[in-house]
Amino acid sequence: MSFAHLHVHTEYSLLDGSNKIKECIARVKELGMDSVAITDHGVVQGFPDAMYASEGWKDFRMIYGLEAYFVNDMVGAVKGNKKQSFDGEFVVFDLETTGLSAASDRITEIGAVKVRNGEIVDVFDTFVNPGRHIPEKITALTSITDAMVKDAPNEQQALALWEQFCPKDAILVAHNADFDCSFMSAAYARQHKPFRNTYIDTVTISRSLYKELKNHKLDTVAEHLKLGDFHHHRACDDAEVLAKIFLRMLQDMQERSHITSIEQINTS
């Protein structure tokens, strides 16, 4: 017997298949094929229908399969090689920018909070003159206007102020840290300096600790942890509430997973 067969997406493959299983299998048999494979997208609801539709057929092979979805659940919350205990020093920070592209947009505000031994010990905030117009949609989101940054430090000056606050080898913490760190990296590159800090993404930690949340936006996590209202999308306020979130996360990770250092986070 030669196994000439067909792979079929049925009506159970939402927006991708419309084949009625009973009719489709009958047609396959009529064409003299030896087998048919049901390979719907991520569902197996078509299997019983396929079994009944081909029940009793001799020399016919029903193949059950599906096109599965894979989600990378091994994305690390910590990027970098530095090791440190939870009671060490961290710089929790947030940026406001003129847009979403680290390559073509610029920073308009840097807000940061230094935490040590489970407590907030220092704060930092500066506007940054981006040297360009802040789009109206960004002003509507952040409330930062061209007038507010007109006399602010430029990028080079702002980074110098940042370096006075943030130790060179500090472990950084941010919400959706790849975004903020990509802007810092681009800004440092324009000053011909490296940006190599180990950093921690609290979005990834939130997804692990607080699976019940509908999303893991900063204001959603803050509300979940009952941290009070704050001026979202202003770097100074976002950094302060994120510091409180991060300290709570450290506590929760210790209690739930019995870990006490950042190098254990990705493996917990």
Side-chain angles (χ1 to χ4, degrees):
M1 178 184 295
S2 62
F3 283 95
H5 66 266
L6 183 69
H7 291 265
V8 175
H9 290 163
T10 76
E11 59 190 312
Y12 293 102
S13 283
L14 186 63
L15 302 179
D16 189 58
S18 60
N19 292 301
K20 303 292 184 182
I21 292 177
K22 186 175 180 179
E23 298 172 4
C24 179
I25 293 178
R27 180 59 175 162
V28 167
K29 183 71 170 177
E30 182 182 329
L31 292 172
M33 292 187 175
D34 304 304
S35 60
V36 61
I38 303 297
T39 56
D40 285 321
H41 288 305
V43 295
V44 297
Q45 284 92 330
F47 289 3
D49 290 349
M51 181 187 69
Y52 291 127
S54 61
E55 194 171 25
W57 291 2
K58 291 187 63 177
D59 300 326
F60 186 83
R61 185 181 182 189
M62 177 59 64
I63 302 171
Y64 301 98
L66 80 159
E67 293 187 11
Y69 305 110
F70 290 90
V71 176
N72 184 3
D73 60 357
M74 297 299 290
V75 175
V78 180
K79 294 189 178 179
N81 299 317
K82 189 173 179 182
K83 299 179 180 180
Q84 181 171 286
S85 66
F86 283 177
D87 59 4
E89 184 173 278
F90 301 89
V91 175
V92 183
F93 81 109
D94 183 72
L95 304 180
E96 299 304 333
T97 64
T98 60
L100 300 177
S101 171
S104 58
D105 288 302
R106 295 294 185 269
I107 299 168
T108 59
E109 185 184 17
I110 306 173
V113 174
K114 191 177 294 181
V115 300
R116 187 186 307 122
N117 197 26
E119 296 182 353
I120 293 175
V121 296
D122 203 358
V123 297
F124 170 82
D125 182 58
T126 182
F127 283 128
V128 184
N129 188 334
R132 64 186 62 190
H133 172 61
I134 300 174
E136 284 72 17
K137 63 180 181 180
I138 299 297
T139 294
L141 181 68
T142 66
S143 75
I144 300 174
T145 66
D146 289 338
M148 293 167 68
V149 301
K150 180 181 178 182
D151 298 319
N154 62 26
E155 182 177 85
Q156 182 179 13
Q157 295 166 335
L159 288 181
L161 294 173
W162 163 260
E163 289 170 349
Q164 291 176 23
F165 174 81
C166 180
K168 184 177 180 180
D169 61 346
I171 295 175
L172 305 180
V173 180
H175 206 64
N176 190 19
D178 284 343
F179 174 85
D180 298 274
C181 289
S182 69
F183 269 86
M184 292 297 280
S185 180
Y188 267 82
R190 286 189 287 271
Q191 306 305 319
H192 307 289
K193 294 181 178 181
F195 179 80
R196 298 173 181 153
N197 296 71
T198 292
Y199 62 88
I200 301 172
D201 182 16
T202 50
V203 171
T204 303
I205 296 176
S206 178
R207 288 173 179 156
S208 176
L209 287 177
Y210 314 125
K211 293 182 173 68
E212 67 274 22
L213 295 184
K214 61 181 180 181
N215 63 62
H216 297 273
K217 297 177 181 178
L218 187 65
D219 52 347
T220 302
V221 181
E223 181 180 1
H224 175 69
L225 298 178
K226 297 179 173 57
L227 296 178
D229 295 331
F230 65 104
H231 189 168
H232 193 22
H233 295 299
R234 276 297 307 276
C236 51
D237 294 275
D238 285 356
E240 184 176 355
V241 76
L242 182 57
K244 295 176 182 177
I245 288 172
F246 180 61
L247 291 175
R248 178 69 173 274
M249 287 176 165
L250 294 182
Q251 180 182 338
D252 288 343
M253 284 188 285
Q254 289 182 74
E255 292 177 355
R256 298 185 191 186
S257 302
H258 307 291
I259 61 175
T260 58
S261 63
I262 65 168
E263 61 268 25
Q264 297 173 300
I265 293 177
N266 287 348
T267 59
S268 65

